[in-house]
Amino acid sequence: MKKILSLLVISILVLAGCSSTNASDEKVVVWAMGNEGKMLSSMTELYMEEFDVEVEVVPIPWSEARNKLQTAVAAKEGPDLVQMPSTWLAEFSEVGALADLSEFTDEFANFDKSLYFDGIQGTMEYNGVFTSVPWFADASALFYRTDLLEEVGYTEPPATWDEFLDVSQKLVNQGVTTYGPDFYTGSQLLSFQGAYTNGWEHADAEGKPNFLDPKYAETLEFINQFFVQDLALFEDEINESLGFSTERIAMFFSGPWRISILENDYPELDGKWTVAPLPHNGTETAAISSANFVIWEWSQNKKATAHFANWMLEDEQQVAWYTEASVLPSKKTAWDADVLQNDEMVATFGKILETAQMPPFIPEWETLAQEVIKQTDIYFYGEQTIDETVEKIQLDVTKIVE
Amino acid sequence: MKNKKAPFLFILPGVVLIVTFATLPILVAFVLGFTDMDLSGLVDFKLINFIGLKNYKEILLDEAFWTALKNTLYYVVVGVPAVVVLATLIAIAINFIAGKSEVWFRGIYYMPAITNIVAVSVVWMFIYNREFGILNYILGLFNIESIGWLSDPKFAKFSLVVLSVWRAIGLNMIIMLAAIKGIPSYLYEAANIDGLSMIQKFFKITVPQLKFAIFFVTVTTLIGWFRFFEEPFVMTNGGPLDSTLSISLYVYQQGFSLSEFGYASSISILLFIIIIVITAIQLRVRKKQEV
């Protein structure tokens, strides 16, 4: 019996041993998510040619990203450099998974707050610790079909909420399209960015959740009337690009990555669409988010990692990465490049970034955002009133934050 | 007597695998269920606090949990009979076909079971799509207004059940088919001599002979549906309005999306208990029938 037990113990040890292989010290392992993961190796090859340091890119699908990061936290090892969305930074900073970068600020010029857009500077620090640098920025713009809007008399994009509603009504009533805009109600930022354009602040004077502010309720009501009047579907079913090309919708909100998708997959739409700032109700502020570089606390190779990150953040690489992956440079100076200035659509995004504002930067963001989506969904489905909705959100979010 | 060790050695690899990948995790989950473990607990075990039954008390007040439980019961009540009946009928039908075409049909019906869920989901998303889907296109031919198969809370659950039944039939059909082939032919020969009709033969010979196979398929299918996860995960993520949220998916969301490992563990332990109890009841009933 003893033999059997010892055999059992040995086999467990063998199984456990399999998981703890570690990368050599000389290699920088980069975890890049989604689309970026697929394309980043084109940049790392350039870097390796220049510096003779091995950089390995591990592409991670978004659906597994959180899972992998949690596992890496538990194992206290894994990557050296991670691409992390700004909305997760606070959470992972708080548990101490992100290395303090302040020791690198003297050596590497791009680890400097003031170089980046105002809206995302706040992502770089959490609780006074410098834990990340923005790699690229993201914000939503209004994508619209210029030809269809022209048919109903709009030669300029709708700039205000009133115009946005008016153009939608005209499009639908005159039978130009089935629906006016499309709202992606599963988006974490939908109600936030809508409310920002209405002059809403997500925190009140004392820093408490501010969902009882009438400006937030107004925003939800404004969106909801599109559903009530059959000007938009409240489901996420329309594949936006497809709906755009088949003239089911004439407008939708999306990030810069959509430009290249529309250009490549729908060449027949060429010249029939462009982007504009979000329609506003007094305040031209969008919601900004970013993807940041963080160095994993348990990296054995922090300096080489910082060197690579710094190189990626040089203006030249920022612009090259824009050309490669159609994401927006996070660094203000990178925007002086001609490719960015001469492209009208990208320049529009650049303007949006200048004034855009960051959603709450707190560790509980993920829980908060899910709660907001859930409650606003119930409202959009007509299962609760607007007053009940905002009260519920305020109550639950207050509980979450505390 | 000397060789008493041999049988243990034979089952050792299996036991090791089960202990490491099934028993240990369950024990860990059981312990975690009494803690408030979250992401910070992963970094430093000292930050994990034992909080007694607090998680379980919270679950009882958690609306989403009760919704998930109700949905899961719906999946079980609708899905299990559908899978068992359809798998049996298709197996019988295939058994009637002799020769090469039988192999073909077996293959066709088994195909969904071995196709990757992600690939399946892409195809079914298009079938179910409200604007561009073939289902609504067909309805449109009869002037029926299009239905949000996955976006209307009234239909979404049912749509997922249909998809899942379609996926589950293949494997169970093979099991039933094997059982049918195992029915001794002299029983039918005797019945022919006695002059039984087709229907009589079906109910007096086929069904009773298949009892064990049906029992097996029912138990495994039941457990499978209690753990219903993949379909809502890839198709709807529990929405719209939590109408497709299953308990397993809720565990996943709490654990991996929100990093509430302690809370998620306690829900999974509840699910574990539910499945154990129901399987035990089934085994009991089965034993009584045999006596």
Side-chain angles (χ1 to χ4, degrees), chain B residues 82-95 102 106 110 168-183 188 202 206-221:
Chain B
V83 170
V84 175
V85 171
L86 286 174
T88 313
L89 291 181
I90 290 171
I92 290 170
I94 287 179
N95 192 41
E102 185 194 322
R106 263 194 336 230
Y110 193 61
I169 282 176
L171 179 66
N172 293 308
M173 179 272 296
I174 295 283
I175 296 170
M176 296 307 293
L177 193 60
I180 292 170
K181 301 251 185 229
I183 301 175
Y188 291 103
F202 177 73
T206 316
V207 172
Q209 287 289 319
L210 289 181
K211 238 182 189 169
F212 185 74
I214 291 175
F215 173 72
F216 176 77
V217 166
T218 311
V219 172
T220 50
T221 311

Side-chain angles (χ1 to χ4, degrees), chain B residues 75-116:
Chain B
Y75 292 134
V76 171
V77 169
V78 180
V80 175
V83 170
V84 175
V85 171
L86 286 174
T88 313
L89 291 181
I90 290 171
I92 290 170
I94 287 179
N95 192 41
F96 272 119
I97 311 167
K100 262 221 173 98
S101 45
E102 185 194 322
V103 179
W104 275 103
F105 276 100
R106 263 194 336 230
I108 289 169
Y109 279 102
Y110 193 61
M111 209 85 91
I114 52 167
T115 312
N116 184 301

Side-chain angles (χ1 to χ4, degrees), chain A residues 29-33 69 79-84 98 135 292-296 305:
Chain A
V29 178
V30 185
W31 281 13
M33 319 294 180
L69 289 172
D80 295 302
L81 191 68
V82 181
Q83 168 196 351
M84 190 173 276
L98 313 184
W135 175 20
N292 291 29
F293 278 134
V294 300
I295 297 181
W296 209 234
T305 310

